[in-house]
Amino acid sequence: MNSQEETMPGKSPIRPTDDEARALARRLIDQAPFGALGVIDHETGTPMATRVAVGTDAQGCPVSLVSDLSAHTRALKANPACSLLVGEPMEKGDPLTHPRVTVQATARFLRKGEEGYDAMRARWLSNHRKSALYIDFLDFSFIMLEVEGAYLNGGFGKAFVLTPADLGL
Amino acid sequence: MNSQEETMPGKSPIRPTDDEARALARRLIDQAPFGALGVIDHETGTPMATRVAVGTDAQGCPVSLVSDLSAHTRALKANPACSLLVGEPMEKGDPLTHPRVTVQATARFLRKGEEGYDAMRARWLSNHRKSALYIDFLDFSFIMLEVEGAYLNGGFGKAFVLTPADLGL
């Protein structure tokens, strides 16, 4: 068989979830300073991928800080379904071999004055110090991502489907 | 007025498009080794953001090389609308201040044996040498992104809406 006739081994690239996969996904989420947010544009019904800052709440759920003036925030107000890709390659090499995780979630807005906002603001500023410049602008709020599942790609051909429980959520 | 009462200056953060914005967006696309692809999962109707390798065709349209075994490829076969975020921060600092562009597009598959495939394969391998390991696997094909528009964020508060013509397409 020459290479033109080969396919990836097996038809499903999904591997059984193990503790190593769980720990890798958790670490990618915990350490992500930013990510790519996928939403659906409410006017066109088409997908949109944008960069967002990323943090976590005290339970480990992904969180972002977004502006009402941004297209992704308008989209999420109409349809809170979203997807967050984290785990950015910071070195050279084939970026498809670098581990990353796609989190499927529903976004819930958390605004100033609402229960939990002050604690989340303090937590966010403790590791996103530069956002002190704009966090108190009236158009900014947190989006708390209620995780429904995740796809971990630990490198070429190493894919896992994770549940919230696999992420400790 | 204290900081709690401020908002971003003006209600629309979109600036008039100029040649500097056009050149920046073009450069971000031309130099991207990878990006985040936004698609709509055909089974759930929810957005999904995944990492893909990125190149361009001879006209400068964004291109990726994808596997039929991946969730984004299955999604694109059912609904070719997609969004590609490129321009990844490679240094320290607030990732929201780093320029990036979101391209709104429709994906067209280009498979081995189809017109233009061989030229695209040669072009792709010239600057994605590591993908020689899998480019000829039967489950791989190119997706050619027919651009409908783009959102450039040149840093905090510097947003532009671009047409295909602004990108030379």
Side-chain angles (χ1 to χ4, degrees), chain A residues 3-13 33-41 44-53 65 67-71 74 79 81-96 98-104 112 121 130-131 134 136-140 148 151 156, chain B residues 3-13 33-41 44-53 65 67-71 74 79 81-96 98-104 112 121 130-131 134 136-140 148 151 156:
Chain A
S3 67
Q4 276 73 12
E5 289 162 344
E6 286 178 54
T7 60
M8 294 281 295
K11 260 299 161 195
S12 170
F34 64 89
L37 184 72
V39 298
I40 298 180
D41 183 308
T44 62
T46 57
M48 172 179 285
T50 55
R51 175 160 312 139
V52 292
L65 176 67
S67 163
D68 287 338
L69 302 180
S70 69
R74 287 196 301 274
N79 181 347
C82 61
S83 179
L84 180 70
L85 168 66
V86 294
E88 301 296 323
M90 300 304 253
E91 314 141 45
K92 300 225 168 229
D94 188 330
L96 296 189
H98 297 194
R100 66 274 189 188
V101 64
T102 289
V103 175
Q104 298 299 107
K112 193 178 188 71
R121 180 182 181 282
K130 296 189 182 188
S131 64
Y134 48 83
D136 292 322
F137 287 171
L138 286 179
D139 55 304
F140 276 83
E148 284 147 22
Y151 304 98
F156 203 72
Chain B
S3 66
Q4 277 73 11
E5 289 163 343
E6 285 179 56
T7 59
M8 295 278 296
K11 261 298 161 197
S12 170
F34 63 90
L37 184 71
V39 298
I40 298 179
D41 183 308
T44 62
T46 57
M48 172 179 285
T50 55
R51 176 161 311 141
V52 292
L65 176 66
S67 164
D68 287 338
L69 303 180
S70 69
R74 287 196 300 275
N79 182 348
C82 61
S83 179
L84 181 70
L85 168 65
V86 294
E88 302 294 324
M90 299 304 252
E91 315 140 43
K92 300 223 169 231
D94 188 331
L96 297 188
H98 296 194
R100 67 274 189 187
V101 63
T102 289
V103 176
Q104 298 300 105
K112 194 178 187 70
R121 180 182 181 282
K130 296 187 182 188
S131 64
Y134 48 83
D136 292 323
F137 287 172
L138 285 179
D139 55 303
F140 276 83
E148 284 148 22
Y151 304 98
F156 203 72

Side-chain angles (χ1 to χ4, degrees), chain A residues 48-65:
Chain A
M48 172 179 285
T50 55
R51 175 160 312 139
V52 292
V54 173
T56 57
D57 69 9
Q59 286 71 48
C61 281
V63 176
S64 187
L65 176 67

Side-chain angles (χ1 to χ4, degrees), chain A residues 17 20 27 63 74 87 91 95 136 141 154 166:
Chain A
T17 299
E20 195 181 341
R27 194 168 73 242
V63 176
R74 287 196 301 274
E91 314 141 45
D136 292 322
S141 56
D166 287 326

